[in-house]
Amino acid sequence: MSDLRTELKESIIEQLNLEELSVEDIENDEHLFGDGVGLDSIDALELIVLLEKDYGIKLTDPQQGKDIFVSINRMAEFIEAHRTK
Amino acid sequence: MEKGIAVTGMGIISSIGKNLEENYISLISGKNGLSFSEILETKHTHLPVGEIKISNLELLDSLKLNSSKPITRASLLGIVAVKEAILNADLHETQLGTCGFISGTSVGGIDATEKYYKNFQDGDYTEFIKAQHPGFTSKQIANYFEIKGQVSTISTACSSAANSIMLGARLIRSGKLKRVIVGGTDCLTKFTLNGFNSLMILSEKPNKAFDEDRNGLNLGEGAAYLVLEADDVLGAKQVLGRVSGYGNANDAFHQTASSPEGEGAYMAMNKALRTAKLNPRDIDFIHAHGTATRNNDLSESVAMNRVFKDSLPDFSSTKGFTGHTLAAAGGLQAVLNLLMLKNQQIYPTLNFQNKMEESGLIPITDLKHKRLSHILSNSFGFGGNCTSLIFSSNEK
Amino acid sequence: MNKQYYISNFTSIKKGAVYNAKNKIFESELELNEIDLFLKEAYNFLALSYPKFFKMDRLSKLGILASEVLLKNESLESDTAIILSNSTSSLNTDKTHQESINQIVSPSIFVYTLPNIVLGEISIKYQLQSENAFFISDTFDAELIADYTNDLLAFEKAKNAVCGWIDLKNAEYDVFLCLISEEGDVPFTQKNLEQLYYFENE
């Protein structure tokens, strides 16, 4: 079983152009929108695109992202529960 | 106060009318121009838009233009509006020879390139390649009227037309030009419809500016232009009003969102008041940017409160009528401001039901007759580009 | 009251090289069409340390690089205006967005389909909150830029200004940015602006 969390970190680094970060730099429970990884509102929209493209989950309200994208752990939990791909 | 630059003519085409008269009738009868896409061939037919129900062929026909010429929709709309403005200002051919033309657009030309892009590689429709440049749209309009003075294109997103008006006023004030046509044009495109959709700021319902439950904007299309002239060439001409103040500032916060304190808007409004040498209390009405996105309306409300404190005048957003016409928005607002000054009335914010909890502000929701001397008009663009203009009655 | 303004400094970026005034401070060994790698090399050379850079499109990256050369050692007030221009608007990114319309649209690409986002990015990085304008013209219009900027400064809308040209045709870039202030040796005139632009374009 592939490690979803690692897969997510790799995707995020590539999709969001986090050029100066590597998989090891992102903690599973780190706040993605905090100072460390430092994502912003446009990144949140890109994550919504990622959910649909890679996991077949369609969010219709951008506000849902606030809860789901808090950390890698939270994202992985949500994806495991709702993925269709 | 500063006297300001005279406006001697204006023209407009929008989803609520193809000229001044039709727009006016829609405004006073509360008739909006929102519908679903028919002319634009998009898969997003569930999204309300302010589409002008006139096809390119019909526009070409009405302007007696050859359909074999590579002319884009934004140019066609622009020509219709400029034509009315020139007529309205009673400008003669010789005057057009030295007249300037400053036009704002964000997607002018893209309506053609998104249709023909794939054909370019096969060597077809290559005459439209140049249309990818926003300047092409402005040139087509200028060439139609043989305008030979300075022609410039401003591309600063939703503040483009407002910035064009500001530049035009400055060119006259500095003596560089005696007359100049200013404004903007933008048409609906799949480019913007899909793009805004990806930002999740489009509403599937008619937009509700400044409402607690607002959930996004509706895109629109249109063109609107003013004719500005220097005082020493006015003669006995009608003066519809004056551009008496203007200000532009950058929010320096985010590419597309406005800062929570509305800093850019706050600075732009204050700059406009300063150039007009007016106090906040002198403003009778604020024509808000009011796109009905969660972000803009809150940010703009905060900024208005900061500037006006306890003397906030009546305010309204007219995007419930026309949709958000992007680069042309500042031009459309300008024309509506002059209609308001002429008729001493304020046009309402449509679809408003509940005030925002954070601000408690209530816009004007019915046609209101009011003594108006000075109107402040806001246009805020992506990239933090914030512009405010002040329009004043012509003092005799 | 007509203050004299000067071109205090200028920078240009073209053909794989970065110039600070007339001095070439960086030259890449890469092929000229390797623009993305060039932008990254220049970023590293300037030791920028600004992760947001990598989320930007090519036009904004060029704007940030040029601004860094121009403004790095200046302690600028927020009241510095920015007046830029080009011929191609945001065409490079427009094409990328256009290609994605029938599949999945990327919001982070759409955001850059306006040339004035460069103004926004520069404003955000250096916290400049004064007036901004972006003009489109076939070629660098020194008269328009000089007039507009002079007028802005003369009527005290801003204390200083950054003005110039930032164009991108496919992978070919042509960037010319000037800092205009009350200090310097070269008077800020249309003629001097043209001379500096064309000097760098031999």
Side-chain angles (χ1 to χ4, degrees), chain B residues 194-269:
Chain B
N194 282 278
F196 275 81
N197 197 40
S198 78
L199 295 177
M200 302 183 87
I201 52 175
L202 293 180
S203 174
E204 294 184 9
K205 297 250 159 59
N207 67 88
K208 303 160 75 96
F210 297 103
D211 192 287
E212 173 64 21
D213 303 309
R214 68 199 184 282
N215 67 350
L217 59 94
N218 310 125
L219 287 175
E221 59 182 356
Y225 290 89
L226 307 180
V227 178
L228 304 181
E229 293 191 78
D231 277 352
D232 59 359
V233 300
L234 284 178
K237 238 183 229 207
Q238 60 162 358
V239 174
L240 304 173
R242 288 180 177 267
V243 179
S244 56
Y246 34 80
N248 172 279
N250 197 295
D251 200 29
F253 175 74
H254 186 269
Q255 305 98 327
T256 53
S258 306
S259 62
E261 321 80 43
E263 191 66 19
Y266 169 76
M267 287 187 294
M269 285 192 271

Coordinates of all heavy atoms in Angstrom, one line a residue, chain B residues 194-269:
Chain B
N194 N -14.2 30.5 -17.3 CA -13.5 29.4 -16.7 C -12.5 29.8 -15.7 O -12.3 29.1 -14.7 CB -12.8 28.5 -17.8 CG -13.8 27.7 -18.6 OD1 -14.2 26.6 -18.1 ND2 -14.3 28.2 -19.7
G195 N -11.8 30.9 -15.9 CA -10.8 31.3 -15.0 C -11.4 31.8 -13.7 O -11.0 31.3 -12.6
F196 N -12.4 32.6 -13.7 CA -13.1 33.0 -12.5 C -13.7 31.9 -11.8 O -13.8 31.8 -10.6 CB -14.1 34.1 -12.8 CG -13.6 35.5 -12.9 CD1 -13.0 36.0 -14.0 CD2 -13.7 36.4 -11.8 CE1 -12.4 37.2 -14.1 CE2 -13.1 37.7 -11.9 CZ -12.5 38.1 -13.0
N197 N -14.2 30.9 -12.6 CA -14.8 29.7 -12.0 C -13.8 28.9 -11.2 O -14.1 28.4 -10.1 CB -15.4 28.9 -13.1 CG -16.4 27.8 -12.6 OD1 -17.2 28.1 -11.7 ND2 -16.3 26.6 -13.1
S198 N -12.6 28.9 -11.6 CA -11.5 28.2 -10.9 C -11.2 28.9 -9.6 O -10.7 28.3 -8.7 CB -10.3 28.0 -11.8 OG -9.5 29.2 -11.8
L199 N -11.5 30.2 -9.5 CA -11.2 30.9 -8.3 C -12.4 30.8 -7.4 O -12.4 31.3 -6.2 CB -11.0 32.4 -8.6 CG -9.7 32.8 -9.4 CD1 -9.7 34.3 -9.7 CD2 -8.5 32.3 -8.7
M200 N -13.5 30.1 -7.8 CA -14.7 29.9 -7.0 C -15.3 31.2 -6.5 O -15.7 31.3 -5.4 CB -14.4 28.9 -5.9 CG -13.9 27.6 -6.5 SD -13.6 26.3 -5.2 CE -15.2 25.5 -5.1
I201 N -15.3 32.2 -7.4 CA -16.0 33.5 -7.0 C -17.1 33.9 -7.9 O -17.6 35.0 -7.9 CB -15.0 34.7 -6.9 CG1 -14.1 34.8 -8.2 CG2 -14.1 34.5 -5.7 CD1 -13.2 36.0 -8.2
L202 N -17.6 32.9 -8.6 CA -18.8 33.2 -9.5 C -20.0 32.6 -8.7 O -20.0 31.6 -8.1 CB -18.7 32.5 -10.8 CG -17.6 33.0 -11.8 CD1 -17.6 32.2 -13.1 CD2 -17.8 34.5 -12.1
S203 N -21.1 33.4 -8.8 CA -22.4 32.9 -8.2 C -23.3 32.3 -9.2 O -23.3 32.7 -10.4 CB -23.1 34.1 -7.5 OG -24.3 33.7 -7.0
E204 N -24.0 31.3 -8.8 CA -25.0 30.6 -9.7 C -26.3 31.3 -9.6 O -27.3 30.9 -10.3 CB -25.1 29.2 -9.3 CG -23.8 28.4 -9.6 CD -23.9 26.9 -9.3 OE1 -25.0 26.4 -9.1 OE2 -22.9 26.2 -9.3
K205 N -26.4 32.4 -8.9 CA -27.6 33.2 -8.7 C -27.2 34.7 -9.1 O -26.1 35.0 -9.1 CB -28.1 33.2 -7.3 CG -28.5 31.8 -6.8 CD -30.0 31.7 -6.6 CE -30.5 30.3 -6.6 NZ -29.9 29.5 -5.5
P206 N -28.3 35.5 -9.3 CA -28.0 36.9 -9.5 C -27.2 37.5 -8.3 O -27.6 37.2 -7.2 CB -29.4 37.5 -9.7 CG -30.2 36.4 -10.2 CD -29.7 35.2 -9.5
N207 N -26.2 38.3 -8.5 CA -25.3 38.7 -7.5 C -26.0 39.6 -6.4 O -26.9 40.4 -6.8 CB -24.1 39.4 -8.0 CG -24.3 40.7 -8.7 OD1 -24.4 41.7 -8.1 ND2 -24.5 40.6 -10.0
K208 N -25.6 39.5 -5.2 CA -26.2 40.2 -4.1 C -25.2 41.0 -3.4 O -24.6 40.6 -2.4 CB -26.8 39.3 -3.0 CG -27.8 38.3 -3.5 CD -27.9 37.1 -2.5 CE -28.7 37.4 -1.3 NZ -30.1 37.0 -1.3
A209 N -24.9 42.2 -3.9 CA -23.8 43.0 -3.3 C -24.1 43.5 -1.9 O -25.3 43.8 -1.6 CB -23.6 44.3 -4.2
F210 N -23.1 43.4 -1.1 CA -23.2 43.9 0.3 C -24.2 43.1 1.2 O -24.5 43.5 2.3 CB -23.5 45.4 0.4 CG -22.4 46.2 -0.2 CD1 -22.5 46.8 -1.5 CD2 -21.2 46.4 0.4 CE1 -21.5 47.5 -2.1 CE2 -20.1 47.1 -0.1 CZ -20.3 47.7 -1.4
D211 N -24.6 42.0 0.7 CA -25.5 41.1 1.4 C -24.8 40.1 2.3 O -23.7 39.6 1.9 CB -26.5 40.4 0.4 CG -27.6 39.7 1.1 OD1 -27.4 38.7 1.8 OD2 -28.8 40.2 1.0
E212 N -25.3 39.8 3.5 CA -24.7 38.8 4.3 C -24.5 37.5 3.6 O -23.5 36.8 3.9 CB -25.5 38.7 5.6 CG -25.1 37.6 6.6 CD -23.8 37.8 7.2 OE1 -23.3 38.9 7.2 OE2 -23.2 36.8 7.7
D213 N -25.4 37.1 2.8 CA -25.4 35.8 2.1 C -24.8 35.9 0.7 O -25.0 34.9 -0.1 CB -26.8 35.2 2.1 CG -27.3 35.1 3.5 OD1 -26.5 34.5 4.4 OD2 -28.4 35.5 3.8
R214 N -24.1 36.9 0.3 CA -23.6 37.0 -1.0 C -22.6 35.9 -1.3 O -21.9 35.4 -0.3 CB -22.9 38.4 -1.2 CG -21.6 38.5 -0.3 CD -21.2 39.9 -0.2 NE -19.9 40.0 0.6 CZ -19.8 39.8 1.9 NH1 -20.9 39.6 2.6 NH2 -18.6 39.9 2.5
N215 N -22.6 35.4 -2.5 CA -21.7 34.3 -2.7 C -20.9 34.4 -4.1 O -20.6 33.4 -4.7 CB -22.4 32.9 -2.6 CG -23.4 32.7 -3.7 OD1 -23.7 33.6 -4.5 ND2 -23.9 31.5 -3.8
G216 N -20.7 35.6 -4.5 CA -19.9 35.7 -5.7 C -20.5 36.6 -6.8 O -21.6 37.2 -6.6
L217 N -19.7 36.8 -7.8 CA -20.1 37.8 -8.8 C -20.7 37.1 -10.1 O -20.6 35.9 -10.2 CB -18.9 38.7 -9.2 CG -17.6 38.0 -9.8 CD1 -17.6 37.9 -11.3 CD2 -16.4 38.7 -9.3
N218 N -21.3 37.9 -10.9 CA -21.7 37.5 -12.3 C -20.9 38.3 -13.2 O -20.8 39.5 -13.1 CB -23.2 37.7 -12.5 CG -24.1 37.2 -11.5 OD1 -24.9 38.0 -10.9 ND2 -24.0 36.0 -11.1
L219 N -20.3 37.6 -14.2 CA -19.5 38.3 -15.2 C -20.4 39.0 -16.2 O -21.5 38.5 -16.4 CB -18.6 37.4 -16.0 CG -17.4 36.9 -15.2 CD1 -16.6 35.8 -16.1 CD2 -16.4 38.0 -14.9
G220 N -20.0 40.1 -16.7 CA -20.8 40.8 -17.7 C -19.9 41.3 -18.8 O -18.7 41.2 -18.8
E221 N -20.5 41.9 -19.9 CA -19.7 42.5 -20.9 C -20.3 43.9 -21.2 O -21.5 44.2 -20.9 CB -19.7 41.6 -22.2 CG -21.1 41.4 -22.8 CD -21.0 40.4 -24.0 OE1 -19.9 40.1 -24.4 OE2 -22.1 40.1 -24.5
G222 N -19.4 44.8 -21.8 CA -19.9 46.1 -22.1 C -18.8 47.0 -22.5 O -17.6 46.7 -22.4
A223 N -19.2 48.2 -22.9 CA -18.3 49.3 -23.2 C -18.9 50.6 -22.9 O -20.1 50.8 -23.0 CB -17.9 49.2 -24.7
A224 N -18.1 51.5 -22.4 CA -18.6 52.8 -22.0 C -17.4 53.8 -22.1 O -16.3 53.5 -21.7 CB -19.1 52.8 -20.6
Y225 N -17.7 55.0 -22.7 CA -16.7 56.0 -22.9 C -17.2 57.4 -22.6 O -18.4 57.7 -22.8 CB -16.2 56.0 -24.4 CG -15.3 54.7 -24.6 CD1 -15.9 53.6 -25.1 CD2 -13.9 54.7 -24.4 CE1 -15.2 52.4 -25.3 CE2 -13.2 53.6 -24.6 CZ -13.8 52.4 -25.0 OH -13.1 51.3 -25.2
L226 N -16.3 58.3 -22.2 CA -16.6 59.7 -22.0 C -15.8 60.5 -22.9 O -14.7 60.1 -23.3 CB -16.3 60.1 -20.5 CG -16.8 59.3 -19.4 CD1 -16.3 60.0 -18.1 CD2 -18.3 59.3 -19.4
V227 N -16.3 61.7 -23.3 CA -15.5 62.7 -24.0 C -15.1 63.8 -23.0 O -16.0 64.4 -22.4 CB -16.2 63.3 -25.2 CG1 -15.4 64.3 -25.9 CG2 -16.7 62.2 -26.2
L228 N -13.8 63.9 -22.8 CA -13.3 65.0 -21.9 C -12.8 66.1 -22.8 O -12.1 65.9 -23.7 CB -12.2 64.5 -21.0 CG -12.5 63.3 -20.1 CD1 -11.3 62.9 -19.3 CD2 -13.7 63.5 -19.2
E229 N -13.1 67.4 -22.4 CA -12.6 68.5 -23.2 C -12.1 69.6 -22.3 O -12.6 69.8 -21.2 CB -13.7 69.1 -24.1 CG -14.0 68.1 -25.2 CD -14.9 68.7 -26.3 OE1 -14.4 69.4 -27.2 OE2 -16.1 68.5 -26.3
A230 N -11.0 70.3 -22.7 CA -10.5 71.4 -22.0 C -11.5 72.6 -22.0 O -12.2 72.8 -22.9 CB -9.1 71.8 -22.6
D231 N -11.4 73.4 -20.9 CA -12.4 74.5 -20.8 C -12.3 75.5 -21.9 O -13.3 76.0 -22.4 CB -12.1 75.2 -19.4 CG -12.9 74.5 -18.3 OD1 -13.6 73.6 -18.5 OD2 -12.6 74.9 -17.1
D232 N -11.0 75.7 -22.4 CA -10.9 76.7 -23.4 C -11.4 76.3 -24.8 O -11.3 77.1 -25.8 CB -9.5 77.3 -23.5 CG -8.5 76.2 -23.8 OD1 -8.9 75.0 -24.0 OD2 -7.3 76.5 -23.9
V233 N -11.9 75.1 -25.0 CA -12.4 74.7 -26.3 C -13.9 74.3 -26.1 O -14.5 73.8 -27.1 CB -11.7 73.5 -26.9 CG1 -10.2 73.8 -27.1 CG2 -11.8 72.2 -26.1
L234 N -14.5 74.6 -25.0 CA -15.9 74.2 -24.7 C -16.9 75.0 -25.6 O -17.9 74.5 -26.0 CB -16.2 74.3 -23.3 CG -15.7 73.3 -22.3 CD1 -16.1 73.6 -20.9 CD2 -16.2 71.9 -22.7
G235 N -16.6 76.2 -25.7 CA -17.6 77.1 -26.4 C -18.9 77.1 -25.6 O -19.0 77.2 -24.4
A236 N -20.0 76.8 -26.3 CA -21.3 76.8 -25.7 C -21.8 75.4 -25.5 O -23.0 75.1 -25.2 CB -22.3 77.5 -26.6
K237 N -20.9 74.4 -25.5 CA -21.3 73.0 -25.4 C -21.9 72.7 -24.1 O -21.6 73.2 -23.1 CB -20.0 72.2 -25.6 CG -20.0 71.2 -26.7 CD -18.8 70.4 -26.7 CE -18.3 70.5 -28.1 NZ -17.5 69.3 -28.5
Q238 N -22.7 71.6 -24.1 CA -23.3 71.1 -22.8 C -22.1 70.5 -22.0 O -21.3 69.8 -22.6 CB -24.3 70.0 -23.2 CG -23.7 68.9 -23.9 CD -24.6 67.6 -23.9 OE1 -25.6 67.5 -23.2 NE2 -24.1 66.6 -24.6
V239 N -22.1 70.7 -20.7 CA -21.2 70.0 -19.9 C -22.0 69.1 -19.0 O -22.8 69.5 -18.2 CB -20.4 71.0 -19.0 CG1 -19.5 70.2 -18.1 CG2 -19.5 71.9 -20.0
L240 N -21.8 67.8 -19.1 CA -22.6 66.8 -18.4 C -22.2 66.7 -16.9 O -23.0 66.2 -16.1 CB -22.5 65.4 -19.1 CG -22.8 65.4 -20.6 CD1 -22.5 64.0 -21.1 CD2 -24.3 65.7 -20.8
G241 N -21.0 67.1 -16.7 CA -20.4 67.0 -15.3 C -18.9 67.1 -15.4 O -18.4 67.4 -16.5
R242 N -18.3 67.0 -14.3 CA -16.8 67.1 -14.3 C -16.1 66.0 -13.6 O -16.6 65.5 -12.6 CB -16.4 68.5 -13.7 CG -16.8 69.6 -14.7 CD -16.4 71.0 -14.1 NE -16.7 72.0 -15.1 CZ -15.8 72.4 -16.0 NH1 -14.6 72.0 -16.0 NH2 -16.2 73.3 -16.9
V243 N -15.0 65.6 -14.1 CA -14.1 64.6 -13.4 C -13.3 65.5 -12.4 O -12.3 66.2 -12.9 CB -13.2 63.8 -14.3 CG1 -12.3 62.9 -13.5 CG2 -14.0 63.0 -15.3
S244 N -13.6 65.5 -11.2 CA -13.0 66.5 -10.3 C -12.0 65.9 -9.4 O -11.2 66.6 -8.7 CB -14.1 67.2 -9.4 OG -14.8 66.2 -8.7
G245 N -11.9 64.6 -9.3 CA -11.0 64.0 -8.4 C -10.6 62.6 -8.8 O -11.4 61.9 -9.5
Y246 N -9.4 62.1 -8.5 CA -9.0 60.8 -8.9 C -7.8 60.4 -8.0 O -7.0 61.2 -7.6 CB -8.6 60.7 -10.3 CG -7.9 61.9 -10.9 CD1 -6.6 62.2 -10.6 CD2 -8.6 62.9 -11.6 CE1 -5.9 63.3 -11.1 CE2 -8.0 64.0 -12.1 CZ -6.7 64.2 -11.8 OH -6.1 65.4 -12.3
G247 N -7.8 59.1 -7.8 CA -6.7 58.5 -7.0 C -6.5 57.1 -7.2 O -7.4 56.3 -7.5
N248 N -5.2 56.6 -7.3 CA -4.9 55.2 -7.5 C -3.9 54.8 -6.5 O -2.9 55.6 -6.2 CB -4.4 55.0 -8.9 CG -3.9 53.6 -9.1 OD1 -2.7 53.3 -8.8 ND2 -4.7 52.8 -9.7
A249 N -4.0 53.6 -5.9 CA -3.0 53.1 -5.0 C -3.0 51.6 -5.0 O -4.0 51.0 -5.5 CB -3.4 53.6 -3.6
N250 N -1.9 51.0 -4.6 CA -1.8 49.5 -4.6 C -2.0 49.0 -3.2 O -1.4 49.5 -2.3 CB -0.5 49.1 -5.2 CG -0.6 47.6 -5.6 OD1 -0.7 46.7 -4.7 ND2 -0.5 47.3 -6.9
D251 N -2.9 48.0 -3.1 CA -3.2 47.4 -1.8 C -2.0 46.6 -1.2 O -1.9 46.4 0.0 CB -4.4 46.4 -2.1 CG -5.2 46.0 -0.9 OD1 -5.2 46.9 0.1 OD2 -5.7 44.9 -0.8
A252 N -1.1 46.2 -2.1 CA 0.1 45.4 -1.7 C -0.2 44.3 -0.7 O 0.5 44.1 0.3 CB 1.2 46.4 -1.1
F253 N -1.2 43.5 -1.0 CA -1.6 42.4 -0.1 C -1.6 41.0 -0.8 O -1.0 40.1 -0.3 CB -3.0 42.7 0.4 CG -3.6 41.7 1.3 CD1 -3.1 41.5 2.6 CD2 -4.6 40.9 0.9 CE1 -3.6 40.5 3.4 CE2 -5.1 39.9 1.7 CZ -4.6 39.7 2.9
H254 N -2.2 40.9 -1.9 CA -2.4 39.6 -2.6 C -2.8 39.8 -4.0 O -3.2 40.9 -4.4 CB -3.6 38.9 -1.9 CG -3.8 37.5 -2.3 ND1 -4.6 37.1 -3.4 CD2 -3.2 36.3 -1.9 CE1 -4.6 35.8 -3.6 NE2 -3.7 35.3 -2.7
Q255 N -2.5 38.8 -4.9 CA -2.7 39.0 -6.3 C -4.2 39.2 -6.6 O -4.5 40.0 -7.5 CB -2.3 37.8 -7.1 CG -0.8 37.3 -6.9 CD -0.8 36.2 -6.0 OE1 -1.5 36.1 -5.0 NE2 0.2 35.3 -6.2
T256 N -5.1 38.6 -5.9 CA -6.5 38.7 -6.3 C -7.4 39.1 -5.1 O -8.5 39.6 -5.4 CB -7.1 37.4 -6.9 OG1 -6.8 36.3 -6.0 CG2 -6.4 37.1 -8.2
A257 N -7.0 38.9 -3.9 CA -7.9 39.3 -2.8 C -7.5 40.7 -2.2 O -6.3 41.1 -2.3 CB -7.7 38.2 -1.7
S258 N -8.5 41.3 -1.7 CA -8.2 42.7 -1.1 C -7.9 42.5 0.4 O -8.4 41.5 1.1 CB -9.4 43.6 -1.2 OG -9.9 43.6 -2.5
S259 N -7.1 43.4 0.9 CA -6.7 43.3 2.3 C -7.9 43.5 3.2 O -8.8 44.2 2.9 CB -5.6 44.3 2.7 OG -6.1 45.6 2.5
P260 N -7.9 42.9 4.4 CA -9.0 43.0 5.3 C -9.3 44.4 5.7 O -10.5 44.8 6.0 CB -8.6 42.1 6.6 CG -7.4 41.4 6.2 CD -6.8 42.0 4.9
E261 N -8.2 45.2 5.8 CA -8.5 46.6 6.2 C -8.8 47.5 5.0 O -9.0 48.7 5.1 CB -7.2 47.3 6.9 CG -6.4 46.4 7.8 CD -5.5 45.4 7.0 OE1 -4.9 45.9 6.0 OE2 -5.5 44.2 7.4
G262 N -8.8 46.9 3.8 CA -9.2 47.7 2.6 C -8.2 48.8 2.4 O -8.6 49.9 2.0
E263 N -6.9 48.5 2.7 CA -5.9 49.6 2.6 C -5.8 50.3 1.3 O -5.8 51.5 1.2 CB -4.5 49.0 3.0 CG -3.4 50.0 3.3 CD -3.7 50.9 4.5 OE1 -4.5 50.5 5.3 OE2 -3.1 51.9 4.5
G264 N -5.8 49.5 0.2 CA -5.7 50.1 -1.1 C -6.9 51.0 -1.5 O -6.7 52.1 -2.0
A265 N -8.1 50.5 -1.1 CA -9.3 51.3 -1.4 C -9.3 52.5 -0.5 O -9.7 53.6 -1.0 CB -10.5 50.4 -1.0
Y266 N -8.9 52.4 0.7 CA -8.8 53.5 1.6 C -7.9 54.6 1.1 O -8.3 55.8 1.0 CB -8.3 53.0 3.0 CG -8.0 54.1 4.0 CD1 -8.9 54.8 4.7 CD2 -6.6 54.4 4.3 CE1 -8.6 55.8 5.6 CE2 -6.3 55.4 5.2 CZ -7.3 56.0 5.9 OH -6.9 57.0 6.8
M267 N -6.7 54.2 0.6 CA -5.8 55.2 0.1 C -6.3 55.9 -1.2 O -6.2 57.1 -1.4 CB -4.4 54.6 -0.2 CG -3.7 54.3 1.1 SD -2.0 53.7 0.9 CE -2.3 52.2 0.1
A268 N -6.9 55.0 -2.1 CA -7.4 55.6 -3.3 C -8.5 56.6 -3.1 O -8.5 57.7 -3.7 CB -7.9 54.4 -4.2
M269 N -9.4 56.3 -2.2 CA -10.6 57.2 -1.9 C -10.0 58.5 -1.3 O -10.5 59.6 -1.7 CB -11.6 56.5 -1.0 CG -12.4 55.5 -1.7 SD -13.8 54.9 -0.7 CE -13.1 53.6 0.2

